[in-house]
Amino acid sequence: MSMKLPKSWDEITLEQYAKIKRIQKREETTDTQRIDNLISVVQVVLNCSIDEAEQLTIKQMEQINEFIKSPVNQKIVKEFKTQGIRFEIELNPNELSAWRHAGVMEAIKDVEANMNSVIFHLAKPFKYRGLRKKYFELTEAQIPEVIKGFSQLPVSMAYPIVVFFFNLLEELTNCFLDYSENELKKINQTLTQEKQNLLNAMVGLKL
């Protein structure tokens, strides 16, 4: 079977990424389970059927596995347009509104599955009025569809933003440990663990 291997993480969406991470968490105690999991990853990466994935050679599957292990570009995109709406990323936790901050903290409890939600709560919609930006809020009816639409954003765009935000939030939490030591230590431990999970996520399958 001919195979068009992705050239970069620009071609992998957050939806695909979440599926890959769920597959990697499956049990892998036998060779059969290992191969089944690899076939499932191939299906997600190439967006093909199971039957088509099973036709690939071991060499082709290894190429896909190597791609999964490849690093993600660390360039941060501060502005982007999707679903007909322009967004600007707010990377400073202190500048987030209360509902956005709460949304981020809830989403990072399972950051691999909810990276689209993390990005949504960091992204402020705006319109240009001449050369100036006019920020606005989406309606409650719009929010679920927009969050769902964010799952089609490329990993290469979302991953650097989330890692940067984790680092900054962790630093700010450390600065305020004296004010509410026990509670903030719990938050800091969660941030540290989830950030490490995110960094480990790019290591790839354990083959």
Side-chain angles (χ1 to χ4, degrees):
M1 172 184 170
S2 61
M3 175 185 67
K4 184 181 178 182
L5 185 69
K7 295 181 180 179
S8 73
W9 286 100
D10 293 342
E11 300 177 49
I12 303 298
T13 68
L14 294 182
E15 181 179 29
Q16 289 173 293
Y17 174 81
K19 289 179 179 178
I20 291 169
K21 299 320 298 176
R22 285 197 295 270
I23 294 167
Q24 290 179 330
K25 292 177 181 178
R26 293 177 185 170
E27 187 176 3
E28 247 184 32
T29 57
T30 68
D31 288 341
T32 299
Q33 289 172 331
R34 171 178 165 273
I35 295 300
D36 286 345
N37 289 348
L38 181 53
I39 290 172
S40 294
V41 168
V42 168
Q43 181 192 15
V44 173
V45 172
L46 297 184
N47 195 25
C48 65
S49 68
I50 286 290
D51 288 341
E52 289 174 321
E54 289 176 341
Q55 299 306 311
L56 294 181
T57 65
I58 294 299
K59 181 179 180 180
Q60 289 173 316
M61 289 188 181
E62 287 176 351
Q63 288 178 305
I64 292 173
N65 189 50
E66 287 303 311
F67 168 75
I68 293 297
K69 294 178 181 178
S70 65
V72 180
N73 189 337
Q74 295 302 305
K75 181 180 179 181
I76 293 177
V77 177
K78 287 264 311 186
E79 294 181 13
F80 62 94
K81 185 176 182 180
T82 183
Q83 303 170 75
I85 305 171
R86 295 182 184 276
F87 292 92
E88 180 182 85
I89 295 295
E90 178 55 70
L91 292 172
N92 186 347
N94 289 331
E95 296 298 323
L96 294 175
S97 64
W99 77 267
R100 288 184 181 279
H101 189 276
V104 170
M105 297 308 291
E106 180 63 28
I108 64 175
K109 291 178 181 178
D110 187 357
V111 68
E112 293 174 359
N114 299 322
M115 207 181 299
N116 60 320
S117 184
V118 174
I119 297 296
F120 170 79
H121 286 95
L122 297 178
K124 300 185 297 184
F126 72 92
K127 295 179 180 179
Y128 277 113
R129 290 290 181 264
L131 297 177
R132 303 185 67 178
K133 295 176 182 176
K134 181 177 177 60
Y135 299 95
F136 65 94
E137 294 294 347
L138 302 174
T139 66
E140 288 188 16
Q142 288 177 299
I143 290 175
E145 280 302 311
V146 172
I147 292 178
K148 182 179 178 180
F150 271 35
S151 66
Q152 299 307 307
L153 292 175
V155 171
S156 58
M157 192 203 81
Y159 182 81
I161 293 171
V162 174
V163 171
F164 182 91
F165 185 81
F166 262 122
N167 286 332
L168 186 56
L169 191 58
E170 189 176 17
E171 289 175 11
L172 290 174
T173 302
N174 286 332
C175 289
F176 291 101
L177 277 177
D178 291 340
Y179 290 91
S180 181
E181 187 169 357
N182 290 334
E183 190 61 28
L184 284 172
K185 275 185 177 178
K186 293 179 184 177
I187 295 174
N188 193 48
Q189 287 169 356
T190 299
L191 286 171
T192 301
Q193 182 59 53
E194 289 299 336
K195 184 182 74 174
Q196 190 59 51
N197 289 344
L198 188 63
L199 294 173
N200 290 340
M202 289 302 167
V203 172
L205 289 173
K206 297 177 181 178
L207 296 177

